[in-house]
Amino acid sequence: MKLRPLPALAALTALGLALTGCASGTGAAAGDSAPNADGTPKALRIGYQAIPNGDLIVKDQRWLEQALPHTKITWSRFESGGDVNTAMVAGGLDIGLAGSSPVTRGLSAPLNIKYKVPWIFDVIGDNEALVARGATTIAALKGKKIAAPFSSTSHYSLLAALQGAGLTESDVTLVDLEPPDIQAAWARGDIDAAYVWTPVLGRLRTTGKVLITSRELAAKGKVTADLAVVRTAFADKYPKALTTWLQQQDRAVKLVRADKAAASAAVGRQLNLPPAEAARQIDELVLLDARQQQGARYLGTAQAPGGLAADLHGAAEFLTAQHKIPAVPQLSVFQQGLAAKELGDAFPR
Protein backbone atom coordinates (compact mmCIF):
# COMPACT_ATOMS: atom_id res chain seq x y z
CA MET A 1 0.00 0.00 0.00
CA LYS A 2 1.73 3.18 -1.17
CA LEU A 3 1.31 6.46 0.65
CA ARG A 4 -0.19 9.23 -1.39
CA PRO A 5 -1.70 12.62 -0.50
CA LEU A 6 -4.59 12.32 1.94
CA PRO A 7 -7.44 10.50 0.14
CA ALA A 8 -10.93 11.86 -0.10
CA LEU A 9 -13.23 11.30 2.85
CA ALA A 10 -15.15 8.59 1.03
CA ALA A 11 -11.97 6.65 0.34
CA LEU A 12 -10.87 6.98 3.95
CA THR A 13 -14.24 5.76 5.15
CA ALA A 14 -14.01 2.74 2.88
CA LEU A 15 -10.51 2.03 4.11
CA GLY A 16 -11.65 2.30 7.70
CA LEU A 17 -14.43 -0.21 7.14
CA ALA A 18 -12.05 -2.59 5.42
CA LEU A 19 -9.39 -2.35 8.12
CA THR A 20 -11.72 -2.62 11.07
CA GLY A 21 -13.74 -5.37 9.48
CA CYS A 22 -10.81 -7.64 8.65
CA ALA A 23 -8.59 -6.68 11.58
CA SER A 24 -10.94 -6.87 14.52
CA GLY A 25 -13.66 -9.06 13.15
CA THR A 26 -16.25 -6.96 14.97
CA GLY A 27 -16.92 -4.11 12.60
CA ALA A 28 -15.93 -0.45 12.46
CA ALA A 29 -16.84 0.24 16.08
CA ALA A 30 -14.75 -2.63 17.50
CA GLY A 31 -12.42 -0.40 19.49
CA ASP A 32 -15.32 1.71 20.81
CA SER A 33 -17.83 -1.00 21.75
CA ALA A 34 -19.00 -1.67 25.30
CA PRO A 35 -16.16 -2.98 27.49
CA ASN A 36 -15.90 -6.47 28.93
CA ALA A 37 -17.09 -7.05 32.48
CA ASP A 38 -13.53 -6.48 33.75
CA GLY A 39 -13.33 -3.10 31.99
CA THR A 40 -11.03 -4.30 29.21
CA PRO A 41 -11.89 -3.68 25.55
CA LYS A 42 -13.51 -6.42 23.50
CA ALA A 43 -10.99 -5.74 20.73
CA LEU A 44 -7.56 -4.17 20.45
CA ARG A 45 -6.26 -3.45 16.94
CA ILE A 46 -2.51 -2.98 16.71
CA GLY A 47 -0.53 -1.78 13.69
CA TYR A 48 3.09 -2.93 13.78
CA GLN A 49 6.09 -2.70 11.48
CA ALA A 50 9.00 -5.03 10.73
CA ILE A 51 11.44 -3.15 12.95
CA PRO A 52 13.68 -5.10 15.38
CA ASN A 53 12.46 -3.50 18.60
CA GLY A 54 10.48 -4.61 21.64
CA ASP A 55 7.13 -4.54 19.85
CA LEU A 56 8.07 -7.68 17.91
CA ILE A 57 9.04 -9.40 21.16
CA VAL A 58 5.63 -8.62 22.69
CA LYS A 59 3.97 -9.99 19.56
CA ASP A 60 6.13 -13.09 19.39
CA GLN A 61 5.71 -13.98 23.07
CA ARG A 62 1.95 -13.28 23.05
CA TRP A 63 2.31 -11.32 26.28
CA LEU A 64 -0.66 -9.07 25.49
CA GLU A 65 -2.88 -12.03 24.73
CA GLN A 66 -1.95 -13.52 28.12
CA ALA A 67 -2.38 -10.23 30.00
CA LEU A 68 -5.70 -9.37 28.33
CA PRO A 69 -7.38 -12.79 27.97
CA HIS A 70 -10.85 -11.39 27.30
CA THR A 71 -9.70 -9.02 24.54
CA LYS A 72 -9.46 -10.05 20.89
CA ILE A 73 -6.07 -8.70 19.81
CA THR A 74 -5.27 -8.34 16.14
CA TRP A 75 -1.82 -7.46 14.83
CA SER A 76 -1.78 -5.92 11.35
CA ARG A 77 1.52 -5.26 9.58
CA PHE A 78 2.15 -1.88 7.93
CA GLU A 79 5.08 -0.89 5.76
CA SER A 80 5.33 2.76 6.82
CA GLY A 81 4.09 5.29 9.34
CA GLY A 82 2.26 7.12 6.58
CA ASP A 83 0.06 4.06 6.12
CA VAL A 84 -0.50 3.89 9.90
CA ASN A 85 -1.65 7.53 9.80
CA THR A 86 -4.10 6.72 7.03
CA ALA A 87 -5.48 3.80 9.03
CA MET A 88 -5.78 5.98 12.13
CA VAL A 89 -7.70 8.63 10.20
CA ALA A 90 -10.00 5.90 8.93
CA GLY A 91 -10.61 4.58 12.46
CA GLY A 92 -9.00 1.22 11.70
CA LEU A 93 -6.41 1.06 14.51
CA ASP A 94 -6.24 1.62 18.25
CA ILE A 95 -2.45 1.54 18.70
CA GLY A 96 0.20 1.77 16.01
CA LEU A 97 3.86 2.34 15.30
CA ALA A 98 4.91 5.37 13.26
CA GLY A 99 8.16 7.25 12.89
CA SER A 100 8.59 10.72 14.32
CA SER A 101 8.13 12.34 10.92
CA PRO A 102 4.72 10.73 10.23
CA VAL A 103 3.67 11.52 13.82
CA THR A 104 4.68 15.13 13.29
CA ARG A 105 2.46 15.22 10.21
CA GLY A 106 -0.32 13.40 12.04
CA LEU A 107 -0.42 15.96 14.83
CA SER A 108 -0.24 18.87 12.36
CA ALA A 109 -2.85 20.33 10.02
CA PRO A 110 -4.47 19.21 7.82
CA LEU A 111 -4.50 15.72 9.40
CA ASN A 112 -4.87 16.73 13.09
CA ILE A 113 -5.22 13.06 14.06
CA LYS A 114 -6.75 12.49 17.48
CA TYR A 115 -3.94 10.40 18.88
CA LYS A 116 -1.05 10.79 21.29
CA VAL A 117 2.36 9.26 21.97
CA PRO A 118 2.55 6.99 25.07
CA TRP A 119 5.81 5.16 24.26
CA ILE A 120 9.05 5.42 22.30
CA PHE A 121 9.80 2.10 20.62
CA ASP A 122 13.32 3.18 19.75
CA VAL A 123 15.53 6.12 18.92
CA ILE A 124 16.71 5.48 15.39
CA GLY A 125 20.42 4.91 14.91
CA ASP A 126 22.34 2.94 12.31
CA ASN A 127 19.28 0.91 11.36
CA GLU A 128 18.20 3.62 8.89
CA ALA A 129 20.66 4.85 6.31
CA LEU A 130 21.24 6.20 2.83
CA VAL A 131 22.78 3.51 0.61
CA ALA A 132 24.01 4.09 -2.94
CA ARG A 133 25.69 2.37 -5.86
CA GLY A 134 28.10 4.26 -8.07
CA ALA A 135 28.44 7.18 -5.65
CA THR A 136 30.76 7.70 -2.70
CA THR A 137 29.36 11.02 -1.48
CA ILE A 138 25.88 12.46 -1.09
CA ALA A 139 26.76 15.31 -3.45
CA ALA A 140 27.55 12.72 -6.12
CA LEU A 141 23.87 11.70 -6.11
CA LYS A 142 22.94 14.76 -8.16
CA GLY A 143 20.86 13.61 -11.12
CA LYS A 144 20.33 10.15 -9.59
CA LYS A 145 17.15 8.28 -8.73
CA ILE A 146 16.65 7.81 -4.96
CA ALA A 147 13.87 5.85 -3.27
CA ALA A 148 12.32 6.25 0.17
CA PRO A 149 8.87 5.68 1.69
CA PHE A 150 7.39 9.17 1.50
CA SER A 151 6.37 10.83 4.79
CA SER A 152 8.47 8.33 6.76
CA THR A 153 11.43 9.04 9.03
CA SER A 154 13.65 7.85 6.17
CA HIS A 155 12.11 10.44 3.85
CA TYR A 156 12.69 13.17 6.44
CA SER A 157 16.28 12.03 6.95
CA LEU A 158 16.89 11.82 3.21
CA LEU A 159 15.76 15.40 2.69
CA ALA A 160 17.95 16.51 5.60
CA ALA A 161 20.94 14.62 4.15
CA LEU A 162 20.45 16.19 0.72
CA GLN A 163 20.10 19.65 2.22
CA GLY A 164 23.27 19.13 4.24
CA ALA A 165 25.13 18.22 1.05
CA GLY A 166 23.91 21.33 -0.75
CA LEU A 167 21.33 19.51 -2.90
CA THR A 168 17.63 20.18 -3.33
CA GLU A 169 14.83 17.81 -4.25
CA SER A 170 14.96 19.09 -7.82
CA ASP A 171 18.60 17.98 -8.08
CA VAL A 172 17.56 14.32 -7.81
CA THR A 173 14.62 12.13 -8.75
CA LEU A 174 12.79 10.97 -5.63
CA VAL A 175 10.70 7.80 -5.85
CA ASP A 176 8.02 6.85 -3.32
CA LEU A 177 8.47 3.14 -2.55
CA GLU A 178 7.76 0.99 0.48
CA PRO A 179 10.69 -1.10 1.82
CA PRO A 180 9.81 -4.38 0.01
CA ASP A 181 9.45 -2.45 -3.26
CA ILE A 182 12.77 -0.69 -2.62
CA GLN A 183 14.47 -4.07 -2.34
CA ALA A 184 12.93 -5.23 -5.62
CA ALA A 185 13.78 -1.98 -7.43
CA TRP A 186 17.36 -2.19 -6.15
CA ALA A 187 17.69 -5.77 -7.41
CA ARG A 188 16.41 -4.72 -10.85
CA GLY A 189 18.75 -1.73 -11.00
CA ASP A 190 15.84 0.71 -11.24
CA ILE A 191 17.20 3.02 -8.52
CA ASP A 192 20.65 4.40 -7.71
CA ALA A 193 20.17 4.91 -3.99
CA ALA A 194 17.67 4.47 -1.18
CA TYR A 195 17.10 5.69 2.35
CA VAL A 196 15.46 2.80 4.19
CA TRP A 197 15.48 0.81 7.42
CA THR A 198 16.32 -2.75 8.40
CA PRO A 199 15.81 -5.52 7.43
CA VAL A 200 15.79 -4.20 3.83
CA LEU A 201 18.72 -1.92 4.64
CA GLY A 202 20.81 -4.94 5.56
CA ARG A 203 20.23 -6.48 2.14
CA LEU A 204 21.08 -3.27 0.29
CA ARG A 205 24.29 -2.84 2.24
CA THR A 206 25.69 -6.06 0.78
CA THR A 207 26.02 -4.45 -2.66
CA GLY A 208 25.88 -0.72 -1.86
CA LYS A 209 27.78 1.87 0.15
CA VAL A 210 26.33 3.62 3.18
CA LEU A 211 26.69 7.38 2.73
CA ILE A 212 25.10 8.52 5.99
CA THR A 213 23.07 7.01 8.83
CA SER A 214 20.28 8.40 10.98
CA ARG A 215 22.63 8.19 13.97
CA GLU A 216 24.98 10.61 12.18
CA LEU A 217 22.09 12.91 11.30
CA ALA A 218 20.92 12.85 14.92
CA ALA A 219 24.33 14.15 15.95
CA LYS A 220 23.63 17.07 13.61
CA GLY A 221 20.29 17.79 15.28
CA LYS A 222 17.99 15.72 13.04
CA VAL A 223 16.76 13.21 15.63
CA THR A 224 14.28 10.55 14.53
CA ALA A 225 12.48 7.85 16.50
CA ASP A 226 9.86 5.11 16.15
CA LEU A 227 6.90 6.11 18.29
CA ALA A 228 3.74 4.48 19.51
CA VAL A 229 0.49 6.30 18.83
CA VAL A 230 -2.77 5.51 20.59
CA ARG A 231 -6.18 6.87 19.67
CA THR A 232 -7.08 9.44 22.30
CA ALA A 233 -10.60 8.03 22.61
CA PHE A 234 -9.21 4.55 23.25
CA ALA A 235 -6.70 5.79 25.84
CA ASP A 236 -9.44 7.71 27.67
CA LYS A 237 -11.91 4.80 27.66
CA TYR A 238 -9.49 1.97 28.44
CA PRO A 239 -6.67 3.31 30.65
CA LYS A 240 -6.04 -0.09 32.24
CA ALA A 241 -5.61 -1.73 28.85
CA LEU A 242 -3.14 0.98 27.83
CA THR A 243 -1.27 0.49 31.11
CA THR A 244 -1.07 -3.24 30.39
CA TRP A 245 0.22 -2.55 26.87
CA LEU A 246 2.88 -0.17 28.23
CA GLN A 247 4.00 -2.67 30.85
CA GLN A 248 4.52 -5.36 28.22
CA GLN A 249 6.59 -2.98 26.09
CA ASP A 250 8.79 -2.18 29.09
CA ARG A 251 9.08 -5.91 29.78
CA ALA A 252 10.39 -6.43 26.23
CA VAL A 253 13.09 -3.77 26.62
CA LYS A 254 14.20 -5.37 29.86
CA LEU A 255 14.33 -8.78 28.18
CA VAL A 256 16.74 -7.37 25.59
CA ARG A 257 19.00 -6.23 28.41
CA ALA A 258 18.68 -9.32 30.60
CA ASP A 259 18.54 -12.14 28.03
CA LYS A 260 19.77 -10.98 24.64
CA ALA A 261 19.64 -14.51 23.23
CA ALA A 262 15.94 -14.92 24.01
CA ALA A 263 15.13 -11.44 22.72
CA SER A 264 17.10 -12.00 19.51
CA ALA A 265 15.42 -15.35 18.91
CA ALA A 266 11.98 -13.71 19.25
CA VAL A 267 12.83 -10.87 16.86
CA GLY A 268 14.47 -13.34 14.48
CA ARG A 269 11.30 -15.43 14.31
CA GLN A 270 9.23 -12.36 13.48
CA LEU A 271 11.64 -11.13 10.79
CA ASN A 272 12.70 -14.55 9.49
CA LEU A 273 16.32 -13.80 10.43
CA PRO A 274 18.99 -15.87 12.17
CA PRO A 275 19.24 -14.85 15.85
CA ALA A 276 22.76 -13.47 15.35
CA GLU A 277 21.57 -11.11 12.59
CA ALA A 278 18.53 -10.12 14.66
CA ALA A 279 20.85 -9.32 17.57
CA ARG A 280 23.02 -7.15 15.33
CA GLN A 281 19.99 -5.22 14.09
CA ILE A 282 18.66 -4.73 17.62
CA ASP A 283 22.01 -3.20 18.57
CA GLU A 284 21.61 -0.57 15.84
CA LEU A 285 18.67 0.91 17.79
CA VAL A 286 18.57 2.79 21.07
CA LEU A 287 15.95 1.14 23.29
CA LEU A 288 14.65 3.01 26.35
CA ASP A 289 12.87 1.53 29.34
CA ALA A 290 9.95 3.23 31.06
CA ARG A 291 12.04 5.07 33.64
CA GLN A 292 14.28 6.53 30.95
CA GLN A 293 11.26 7.59 28.89
CA GLN A 294 9.78 9.40 31.89
CA GLY A 295 12.75 11.75 31.87
CA ALA A 296 12.44 15.33 30.63
CA ARG A 297 14.37 14.49 27.46
CA TYR A 298 11.63 12.17 26.26
CA LEU A 299 8.06 11.79 27.57
CA GLY A 300 8.35 13.42 30.99
CA THR A 301 5.62 15.78 32.17
CA ALA A 302 8.25 18.53 32.52
CA GLN A 303 9.67 18.74 29.02
CA ALA A 304 13.28 19.78 28.62
CA PRO A 305 14.02 22.53 26.06
CA GLY A 306 15.43 19.83 23.77
CA GLY A 307 12.84 17.17 24.61
CA LEU A 308 10.76 15.00 22.31
CA ALA A 309 8.12 17.69 21.81
CA ALA A 310 10.88 20.05 20.66
CA ASP A 311 12.19 17.35 18.29
CA LEU A 312 8.74 17.05 16.74
CA HIS A 313 8.39 20.82 16.53
CA GLY A 314 11.79 21.01 14.80
CA ALA A 315 10.68 18.33 12.36
CA ALA A 316 7.55 20.39 11.66
CA GLU A 317 9.70 23.43 10.86
CA PHE A 318 11.74 21.35 8.44
CA LEU A 319 8.66 19.75 6.82
CA THR A 320 7.05 23.18 6.42
CA ALA A 321 10.17 24.50 4.68
CA GLN A 322 9.99 21.46 2.41
CA HIS A 323 6.27 22.19 1.72
CA LYS A 324 5.21 18.87 3.25
CA ILE A 325 2.85 20.53 5.75
CA PRO A 326 1.27 23.99 5.30
CA ALA A 327 2.38 25.60 8.58
CA VAL A 328 4.33 24.93 11.76
CA PRO A 329 2.02 24.22 14.72
CA GLN A 330 2.70 25.74 18.11
CA LEU A 331 5.09 23.79 20.35
CA SER A 332 2.13 23.19 22.68
CA VAL A 333 0.51 20.98 20.02
CA PHE A 334 3.37 18.51 20.35
CA GLN A 335 3.59 18.87 24.13
CA GLN A 336 -0.09 17.97 24.37
CA GLY A 337 0.50 15.11 21.94
CA LEU A 338 2.73 13.30 24.46
CA ALA A 339 0.88 10.92 26.77
CA ALA A 340 3.14 11.70 29.74
CA LYS A 341 0.36 11.23 32.31
CA GLU A 342 -0.60 7.82 30.94
CA LEU A 343 3.04 6.68 31.07
CA GLY A 344 3.32 8.00 34.62
CA ASP A 345 0.14 6.18 35.67
CA ALA A 346 1.54 2.92 34.28
CA PHE A 347 4.86 3.34 36.10
CA PRO A 348 4.29 5.44 39.25
CA ARG A 349 7.46 6.67 40.87
Side-chain angles (χ1 to χ4, degrees), residues 222-282:
K222 304 298 182 183
V223 178
T224 51
D226 290 314
L227 308 175
V229 286
V230 58
R231 285 193 305 117
T232 302
F234 183 91
D236 291 345
K237 187 171 183 178
Y238 300 111
K240 291 183 179 179
L242 179 58
T243 288
T244 298
W245 181 90
L246 287 165
Q247 290 170 342
Q248 303 315 308
Q249 293 295 332
D250 186 59
R251 182 181 176 187
V253 173
K254 290 176 177 173
L255 181 67
V256 171
R257 296 174 180 177
D259 192 344
K260 187 67 170 294
S264 301
V267 170
R269 282 190 293 269
Q270 292 298 310
L271 296 179
N272 194 27
L273 293 174
E277 175 59 19
R280 189 187 69 78
Q281 293 189 13
I282 291 171

Side-chain angles (χ1 to χ4, degrees), residues 1 48-50 77-84 149 152 178-180 197:
M1 181 165 53
Y48 75 100
Q49 294 191 49
R77 176 170 167 173
F78 289 79
E79 298 298 342
S80 72
D83 289 342
V84 169
S152 67
E178 301 292 0
W197 52 85

Side-chain angles (χ1 to χ4, degrees), residues 63-207:
W63 287 340
L64 272 177
E65 287 79 358
Q66 296 163 23
L68 297 170
H70 304 300
T71 300
K72 181 182 171 100
I73 298 172
T74 301
W75 296 79
S76 300
R77 176 170 167 173
F78 289 79
E79 298 298 342
S80 72
D83 289 342
V84 169
N85 273 349
T86 301
M88 281 285 185
V89 171
L93 289 176
D94 300 307
I95 298 175
L97 183 157
S100 47
S101 181
V103 171
T104 296
R105 296 189 72 168
L107 291 172
S108 304
L111 291 181
N112 296 319
I113 302 174
K114 302 303 181 186
Y115 63 27
K116 46 190 171 181
V117 178
W119 186 253
I120 302 169
F121 287 113
D122 57 79
V123 177
I124 297 171
D126 298 325
N127 66 303
E128 285 192 19
L130 175 60
V131 184
R133 284 185 297 209
T136 57
T137 66
I138 299 173
L141 292 175
K142 185 173 183 178
K144 303 293 186 180
K145 186 179 292 186
I146 310 172
F150 281 12
S151 297
S152 67
T153 51
S154 283
H155 187 203
Y156 167 77
S157 295
L158 172 59
L159 295 178
L162 292 175
Q163 185 182 65
L167 298 179
T168 66
E169 286 188 63
S170 61
D171 290 323
V172 300
T173 299
L174 297 184
V175 185
D176 178 12
L177 295 176
E178 301 292 0
D181 300 318
I182 287 176
Q183 183 178 339
W186 180 272
R188 293 192 303 266
D190 293 345
I191 56 177
D192 303 298
Y195 208 122
V196 69
W197 52 85
T198 54
V200 171
L201 172 62
R203 298 177 183 120
L204 269 57
R205 282 188 297 214
T206 61
T207 55

Side-chain angles (χ1 to χ4, degrees), residues 301-317:
T301 52
Q303 276 280 297
L308 180 59
D311 290 337
L312 298 176
H313 187 257
E317 292 176 332

Side-chain angles (χ1 to χ4, degrees), residues 2-21:
K2 305 294 186 298
L3 178 69
R4 294 289 179 259
L6 184 64
L9 180 60
L12 282 172
T13 302
L15 176 60
L17 291 173
L19 282 168
T20 51

Side-chain angles (χ1 to χ4, degrees), residues 118 246 291 294 299 301 339-349:
L246 287 165
R291 293 302 180 201
Q294 285 179 298
L299 288 167
T301 52
K341 179 182 182 301
E342 287 83 348
L343 182 61
D345 289 344
F347 303 95
R349 292 183 178 273

Side-chain angles (χ1 to χ4, degrees), residues 15-38:
L15 176 60
L17 291 173
L19 282 168
T20 51
C22 67
S24 68
T26 55
D32 300 314
S33 58
N36 293 314
D38 61 358

